[in-house]
């Protein structure tokens, strides 16, 4: 990559192009779209955690005046197993059964039928008239109980993958993934100190403020048009086509603005239901989840049980790691447990290790990504134990990490050698920060933790066009969930040499731009940005060629500089032409300037590291933890729009603090979710958090034109352990379970004092 | 180099070494990702299927989710990394 130091636009902070619409309420989110004659769709959901469906009688419901269509699992074609294009493998049989149950329900809230009616009241009345004959089955919610031989089995045809020989009996354990290297026995024998712990984390939700919503229009044989909030409208098209047996050309998806996703909108729930209901009724159908439905039946992050044994020498060198991580998959397999195993000790150079990760099906909703899936759980364990080792060896926690930190050329526990990375730079920046250098007020505790995430490249298409007046359009196909349109405009401005305010970036529908993988894996600014850069460079080449034609000189005699073509090498007398001047004569000199580029940026993502510092105060009478000060340090490669990098870091911290201190799915003894709402599911609010300070480290990604690395996921990895370590610093109590809520911490404090 | 085809060093993850009689590495003649898998399967029947079911290929430190034509150069280092996805 080139590393110019004199960027004009990269690194500046213009107002985001979508900002005004969002501030004044003009932005269109998923539930905002309406068409004449739109029907209201509602979903009937299971009251049971696990039950056979012996029959569904819709006869009374369909006769209700105003009811236009009812669907059940019988209305879905048999989906085939398959791998969709995109970041992760997909089992369409499971996906189909998740969006609508077939022979049995697998969690409280599992969809069993859906209705389209002329009003919400009629739709709700129709749901009440659908008679579902359930035969309740024993359920299992706990990951360890689900692994026992006598546990209720969710899937009779599920055999654990990743073990040799293939098991003879089906199991709730969907898969086992092992990372191993070196000599574990010798590694522990070389250790002067060994820490061994079991930790637990609770199932949590991303808590995006906008519930899932979709409007579908179209009838049998027509093209269906969907308006929906999603992290990937091409993904919605692919998945709906696969689940419903439709050609992709028969589905057009228009993405709305999106009120948060964080990984939770990387699959489909309502979209195929809306298409089926629109087809059956012949009318547009809109479905919008309630908050209760979002909690019950979308994709939370897994709870986990984490067993860990780590050894180190007295001079602070890690010698061996043995880890066993059991994650909830929810009702269907697909939890990214290998990511947890691979990220857990990625920041450290370790010769001897065995890290085993299991995904276990339980009667809860199928989990989805939550920023860096499975990594926060793993880092809660590893970074807590690292901290404990450092404390026992009386080594500063940052210095301990420095002594073991990976650097370029070192093999990670996942296998390959790291390329150019910035972990040590984050540690140095944290150590030199005003926060870390400030004395800790009496009674407060300070915690340190680091985190790693792979990031993802993937496929993106983007187009750049010059308008007649010299302004420009940038068209992408990756929904903007974190300010990416502003970053696209900045990168185009840098190449084109025009004011960023003259560039309008938009997210186009599936019929209007080439294929794009979804917005996930922290990939958009990196991968879609690379496509925008290349398209803009192609436009610049066209501008140079046009100037050469106009001036009647060779194209080699024309260069692009600061938004102008300039004659050189004998063509100096031609002077210069601005982009605007060329645009104004485009239609009379050979046609408009435009380019669309498709890129596969796989393998070029540039991994991400972060280090966090947090100060807490603990009320020893109540167990309440207050976050007093928080600083997040992160290697962004190159921050295209620093405000949105900082926003990602702050958002990750806020969510991580919630995960650490308060958030958890609470089920009753019947497997019914008891807290599906923000009053009872306690996410942090503004009053719970200080202004989160940020330090951006820039160690350029060698595989991106501007050095960009993904930034959206890694900031959620360290907070759980950072907060736990700060609590340990303040109270001398080490918390091994999230949430570290007041009652749980109070009990631990009382135990300490007993 | 063997003729016009390069020799790549493939590191076999420890958990797949039951296919390789314990061998930790394999030198294969391959010009791209798919020919690495083909060569591995010829040498160790069943290994390629197991690897592609569970892993992504990493060539010289870059991880490829859907690699087929990614070039493998002389002295390239090839790893297999468990499948991951982000949010």
């Amino acid at each position: 990559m080139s590393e110019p130091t004199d960027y004009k636009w990269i690194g500046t902070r213009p107002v985001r192009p979508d900002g005004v619409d969002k501030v004044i309420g003009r932005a269109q989110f998923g539930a905002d779209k309406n068409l004449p004659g739109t029907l209201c769709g509602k979903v009937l959901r299971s009251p049971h955690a696990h039950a056979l469906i012996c029959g569904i009688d819709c006869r009374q419901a369909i006769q209700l005046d105003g009811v236009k269509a009812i669907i059940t699992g019988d209305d879905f074609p048999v989906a085939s197993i398959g791998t969709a294009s995109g970041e992760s493998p997909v089992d369409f049989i499971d996906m189909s059964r998740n969006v609508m149950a077939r022979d049995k329900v697998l969690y409280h809230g599992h969809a069993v039928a859906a209705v389209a009616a002329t009003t919400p009241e009629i739709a709700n009345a129709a749901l009440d008239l659908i008679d579902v004959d359930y035969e309740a089955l024993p359920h299992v919610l706990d990951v360890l109980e689900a692994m026992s031989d006598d546990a209720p089995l969710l899937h009779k045809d599920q055999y654990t993958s990743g073990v040799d020989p293939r098991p003879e009996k089906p199991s709730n354990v969907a898969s086992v993934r092992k990372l191993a290297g070196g000599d574990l026995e010798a590694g522990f024998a070389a250790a002067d100190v060994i820490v061994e712990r079991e930790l637990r984390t609770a199932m949590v939700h991303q808590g995006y403020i906008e519930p899932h919503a979709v409007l579908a229009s179209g009838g049998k044989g027509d093209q269906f048009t969907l308006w929906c909030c999603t992290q990937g409208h091409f993904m919605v098209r692919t998945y709906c086509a696969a689940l419903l047996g439709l050609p992709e050309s028969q589905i057009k998806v228009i993405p709305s603005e999106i009120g948060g996703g964080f990984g939770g909108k990387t699959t489909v729930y309502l979209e195929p239901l809306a298409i089926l209901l629109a087809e059956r009724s012949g009318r547009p159908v809109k479905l919008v989840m309630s908050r209760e439905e979002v909690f019950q039946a979308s994709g939370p992050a897994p709870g986990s049980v984490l067993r860990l044994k780590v050894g180190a020498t007295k001079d602070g060198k890690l010698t061996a790691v043995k880890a066993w991580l059991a994650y909830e998959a929810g009702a269907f397999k697909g939890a990214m447990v290998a990511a947890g195993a691979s990220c857990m000790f990625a920041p450290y150079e370790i010769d001897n290790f065995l890290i085993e990760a299991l995904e276990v099906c339980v009667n809860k909703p199928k989990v989805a990504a939550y920023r860096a899936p499975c990594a926060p759980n793993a880092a809660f364990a590893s970074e807590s134990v690292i901290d404990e080792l450092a404390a026992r060896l009386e080594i500063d926690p940052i210095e301990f990490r420095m002594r073991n930190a990976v650097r370029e050329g070192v093999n990670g526990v996942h296998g390959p050698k790291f390329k150019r990375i910035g972990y040590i730079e984050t540690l140095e920046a944290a150590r030199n920060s005003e926060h870390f250098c400030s004395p800790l007020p009496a009674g407060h505790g300070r915690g340190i933790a680091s985190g790693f995430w792979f990031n993802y490249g993937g496929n993106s298409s983007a187009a750049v066009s010059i308008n007649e007046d010299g302004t420009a359009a940038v068209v992408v196909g990756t929904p903007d969930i974190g300010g990416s349109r502003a970053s696209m405009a900045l990168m185009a401005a840098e190449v084109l040499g025009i004011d960023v305010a003259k560039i309008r970036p938009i997210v186009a529908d599936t019929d209007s731009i080439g294929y794009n993988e979804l917005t996930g894996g922290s990939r958009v600014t990196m991968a879609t940005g690379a496509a925008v850069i290349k398209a803009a460079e192609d436009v610049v080449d066209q501008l140079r060629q046009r100037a050469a034609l106009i001036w009647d000189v060779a194209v080699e005699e024309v260069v692009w500089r600061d938004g102008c073509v300039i004659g050189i090498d004998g063509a100096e007398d031609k002077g210069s032409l601005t982009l605007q001047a060329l645009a104004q004569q485009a239609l009379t000199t050979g046609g408009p300037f435009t380019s669309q580029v498709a890129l596969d940026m796989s393998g070029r993502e540039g991994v991400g590291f972060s280090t966090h510092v947090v100060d807490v105060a603990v009320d020893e009478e109540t167990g309440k933890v207050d976050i007093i000060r928080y600083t997040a340090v992160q290697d962004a490669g190159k921050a295209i729009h620093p405000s949105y990098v900082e926003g990602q870091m702050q958002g990750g911290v806020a969510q991580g603090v919630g995960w650490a201190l308060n958030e958890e799915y609470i089920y009753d003894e019947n497997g019914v979710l008891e807290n599906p709402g923000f009053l009872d599911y306690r996410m942090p609010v503004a009053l719970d958090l200080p202004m989160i300070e940020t330090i951006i480290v820039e160690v350029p990604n060698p595989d991106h034109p501007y050095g960009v690395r993904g930034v959206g996921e890694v900031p959620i990895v360290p907070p759980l352990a950072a907060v736990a370590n700060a609590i340990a610093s303040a109270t001398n109590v080490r918390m091994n379970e999230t949430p570290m809520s007041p009652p749980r911490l109070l009990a631990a404090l009382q135990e300490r004092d007993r | 180099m063997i003729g016009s085809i390069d020799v790549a060093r493939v590191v076999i993850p420890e958990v797949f070494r039951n296919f390789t009689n314990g061998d930790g590495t394999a030198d294969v003649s391959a010009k791209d990702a798919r020919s690495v898998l083909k060569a591995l399967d010829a040498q160790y029947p069943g290994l390629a299927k197991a690897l592609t079911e569970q892993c992504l290929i990493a060539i010289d430190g870059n991880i490829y989710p859907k690699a087929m034509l990614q070039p493998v150069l002389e002295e390239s280092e090839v790893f297999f990394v468990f499948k991951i996805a982000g949010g």
Side-chain angles (χ1 to χ4, degrees):
Chain A
M1 60 154 285
S2 60
E3 291 187 39
T5 55
D6 56 348
Y7 291 125
K8 184 172 182 182
W9 294 105
I10 301 300
T12 63
R13 301 172 185 250
V15 172
R16 61 197 296 166
D18 50 311
V20 171
D21 280 356
K22 285 177 175 167
V23 169
I24 67 173
R26 194 164 55 198
Q28 296 279 300
F29 289 87
D32 291 331
K33 182 70 181 176
N34 287 296
L35 291 172
T38 296
L39 300 175
C40 174
K42 296 278 182 184
V43 179
L44 182 67
R45 298 186 179 279
S46 167
H48 300 285
H50 197 193
L52 292 174
I53 299 174
C54 302
I56 303 176
D57 187 346
C58 301
R59 286 174 297 183
Q60 267 194 293
I62 197 68
Q63 287 168 9
L64 191 65
D65 192 28
V67 173
K68 302 298 180 184
I70 299 177
I71 57 169
T72 69
D74 289 342
D75 293 284
F76 281 76
V78 177
S80 60
I81 192 165
T83 301
S85 299
E87 191 180 358
S88 55
V90 173
D91 185 326
F92 287 120
I93 296 175
D94 285 354
M95 184 181 288
S96 184
R97 297 168 79 89
N98 192 38
V99 301
M100 188 66 79
R102 304 299 152 81
D103 53 338
K104 69 174 182 174
V105 291
L106 292 160
Y107 54 94
H108 173 228
H110 198 165
V112 293
V115 167
T118 49
T119 69
E121 293 76 16
I122 294 172
N124 281 326
L127 294 186
D128 289 341
L129 291 173
I130 296 174
D131 183 16
V132 184
D133 181 10
Y134 293 107
E135 180 186 328
L137 298 170
H139 65 275
V140 62
L141 301 171
D142 180 81
V143 70
L144 296 181
E145 289 175 17
M147 296 169 66
S148 67
D149 286 342
D150 57 350
L153 197 60
L154 273 74
H155 306 285
K156 288 178 181 170
D157 56 351
Q158 177 172 279
Y159 293 80
T160 309
S161 79
V163 292
D164 185 41
R166 184 180 188 271
E168 293 179 355
K169 286 171 37 181
S171 169
N172 289 325
V173 181
S175 70
V176 178
R177 298 289 180 261
K178 287 181 189 172
L179 298 171
D183 183 336
L184 210 56
E185 199 174 325
F188 282 116
D192 297 307
V193 180
I194 293 174
V195 171
E196 194 165 4
R197 291 284 173 264
E198 178 173 303
L199 301 94
R200 282 176 175 256
T201 66
M203 175 172 271
V204 297
H205 198 274
Q206 301 87 351
Y208 34 81
I209 201 70
E210 184 196 20
H212 298 263
V214 59
L215 171 64
S217 177
K220 195 180 284 289
D222 295 343
Q223 186 185 50
F224 293 97
T225 302
L226 269 68
W227 291 261
C228 59
C229 59
T230 175
Q231 289 180 237
H233 44 308
F234 288 87
M235 171 274 296
V236 170
R237 185 182 70 175
T238 303
Y239 290 2
C240 287
L243 297 185
L244 301 175
L246 296 169
E248 290 185 4
S249 59
Q250 206 175 323
I251 301 172
K252 173 181 174 181
V253 185
I254 302 172
S256 67
E257 293 289 351
I258 180 169
F262 314 109
K265 292 176 181 169
T266 55
T267 187
V268 293
Y269 300 103
L270 299 177
E271 293 85 353
L273 281 56
I275 290 177
L276 274 180
L277 288 168
E279 182 191 58
R280 300 295 154 91
S281 66
R283 301 257 296 263
V285 176
K286 180 155 71 171
L287 291 115
V288 181
M289 280 194 190
S290 65
R291 179 60 57 186
E292 188 176 6
E293 289 178 294
V294 172
F295 274 107
Q296 289 175 351
S298 60
S304 53
V305 177
L306 316 149
R307 293 173 181 154
L308 184 57
K309 179 180 175 185
V310 185
T313 61
K314 59 188 173 191
D315 58 350
K317 187 71 186 164
L318 293 167
T319 61
V321 165
K322 185 178 182 188
W324 182 90
L325 319 175
Y327 289 90
E328 299 167 344
F332 298 95
K333 64 182 182 292
M336 281 293 139
V337 301
S342 301
C343 291
M344 187 175 202
F345 279 92
Y348 306 110
E349 188 173 358
I350 297 170
D351 294 330
N352 310 300
F353 56 92
L354 173 62
I355 304 173
E356 193 175 6
L358 298 78
E359 60 165 334
V360 185
C361 288
V362 294
N363 292 112
K364 296 181 180 180
K366 177 185 178 347
V367 302
Y370 183 5
R371 290 190 189 250
C374 294
N377 314 45
F380 175 51
S382 57
E383 290 294 303
S384 292
V385 169
I386 291 279
D387 194 71
E388 192 171 349
L389 281 167
R392 286 182 48 181
L393 292 166
E394 298 181 340
I395 300 172
D396 171 85
I398 292 183
E399 174 60 26
F400 187 93
R401 288 171 171 82
M402 284 286 228
R403 292 182 191 180
N404 295 283
V406 287
R407 59 197 75 216
E408 185 175 358
V410 169
N411 292 86
V413 291
H414 64 297
K417 289 185 175 69
F418 284 110
K419 300 179 80 174
R420 193 174 179 190
I421 54 174
Y423 178 43
I424 287 174
E425 286 81 351
T426 71
L427 289 168
E428 288 170 341
R431 186 159 63 183
N432 295 330
S433 67
E434 196 275 331
H435 179 174
F436 190 73
C437 295
S438 299
L440 191 63
H444 290 191
R446 177 167 293 164
I448 307 291
S450 293
F452 167 84
W453 182 249
F454 286 97
N455 297 324
Y456 176 64
N459 292 274
S460 282
S461 304
V464 173
S465 300
I466 306 299
N467 302 324
E468 288 175 84
D469 63 355
T471 58
V474 171
V475 181
V476 298
T478 36
D480 178 356
I481 61 174
S484 59
R485 274 169 292 187
S487 297
M488 298 304 132
L490 283 166
M491 287 183 272
E494 193 69 43
V495 176
L496 297 173
I498 60 175
D499 192 312
V500 70
K502 291 184 175 178
I503 297 175
R504 192 70 195 172
I506 67 156
V507 182
D509 64 65
T510 49
D511 281 359
S512 304
I513 187 74
Y515 178 81
N516 280 264
E517 289 184 52
L518 55 74
T519 298
S522 303
R523 70 176 211 88
V524 169
T525 302
M526 197 285 295
T528 304
V532 168
I533 292 165
K534 195 169 178 189
E537 289 172 342
D538 187 33
V539 165
V540 165
D541 284 344
Q542 295 173 30
L543 292 163
R544 286 178 55 235
Q545 289 167 18
R546 190 67 54 86
L549 278 175
I550 294 169
W551 287 340
D552 198 19
V553 300
V555 70
E556 292 76 20
E557 294 171 332
V558 181
V559 296
W560 185 257
R561 196 173 295 155
D562 295 331
C564 297
V565 286
I566 297 171
I568 60 164
D569 294 342
E572 289 87 349
D573 62 317
K574 302 299 181 185
S576 67
L577 278 171
T578 63
L579 183 150
Q580 185 179 19
L582 285 164
Q584 285 169 340
Q585 49 189 313
L587 303 187
T588 56
T589 58
F593 303 106
T594 186
S595 176
Q596 182 172 162
V597 164
L599 284 182
D600 181 359
M601 291 293 284
S602 300
R604 301 168 68 180
E605 43 273 349
V607 299
F609 286 94
S610 62
T611 297
H612 291 190
V613 184
V614 58
D615 293 354
V616 303
V618 177
D619 183 335
E620 296 240 351
E621 292 187 357
T622 64
K624 182 175 185 293
V625 175
D626 286 318
I627 305 293
I628 304 300
R629 189 173 183 184
Y630 203 116
T631 299
V633 186
Q634 186 173 323
D635 175 18
K638 178 66 191 172
I640 299 297
H641 193 308
S643 296
Y644 300 135
V645 174
E646 291 161 359
Q648 289 291 339
M649 295 163 69
Q650 291 163 328
V653 169
Q655 290 179 311
V657 167
W659 197 333
L661 291 179
N662 291 110
E663 295 179 37
E664 61 180 323
Y665 269 46
I666 300 170
Y667 285 88
D668 71 10
E669 67 277 10
N670 297 314
V672 171
L673 183 61
E674 289 194 307
N675 61 336
F678 284 138
L679 283 177
D680 298 315
Y681 182 91
R682 178 73 166 82
M683 295 191 80
V685 297
L687 290 175
D688 294 318
L689 295 165
M691 185 63 188
I692 294 158
E693 298 161 58
T694 56
I695 300 172
I696 300 172
V697 170
E698 293 185 324
V699 178
N701 170 10
D703 292 323
H704 185 274
Y706 292 139
V708 172
R709 297 176 191 274
V711 298
E713 293 171 289
V714 75
I716 204 171
V717 180
L720 283 68
V723 171
N725 295 341
I727 292 171
S729 159
T731 65
N732 208 27
V733 167
R734 191 154 282 284
M735 296 298 290
N736 292 320
E737 185 167 3
T738 68
M740 296 171 273
S741 54
R744 185 168 283 144
L745 180 52
L746 188 60
L749 293 169
Q750 289 167 345
E751 180 69 22
R752 176 200 62 185
D753 297 336
R754 190 171 294 167
Chain B
M1 181 174 288
I2 302 170
S4 61
I5 297 181
D6 296 322
V7 176
R9 167 61 55 93
V10 181
V11 178
I12 311 295
E14 189 152 318
V15 295
F16 295 101
R17 291 179 190 170
N18 54 330
F19 287 93
T20 64
N21 300 318
D23 292 346
T25 59
D27 292 333
V28 299
S29 302
K31 62 177 183 177
D32 55 25
R34 64 180 172 186
S35 54
V36 167
L37 286 165
K38 195 173 174 185
L40 281 178
D41 216 45
Q43 209 167 332
Y44 307 111
L47 176 59
K49 182 171 183 287
L51 287 171
T52 50
E53 278 176 359
Q54 297 186 38
C55 295
L56 314 171
I57 194 167
I59 303 169
D60 296 327
N62 292 337
I63 301 171
Y64 298 99
K66 297 171 283 286
M68 287 184 65
L69 306 179
Q70 273 72 20
V72 175
L73 307 175
E74 187 173 11
E75 297 179 4
S76 275
E77 196 169 45
V78 179
F79 281 84
F80 288 90
V81 178
F82 283 118
K83 285 179 179 172
I84 47 176

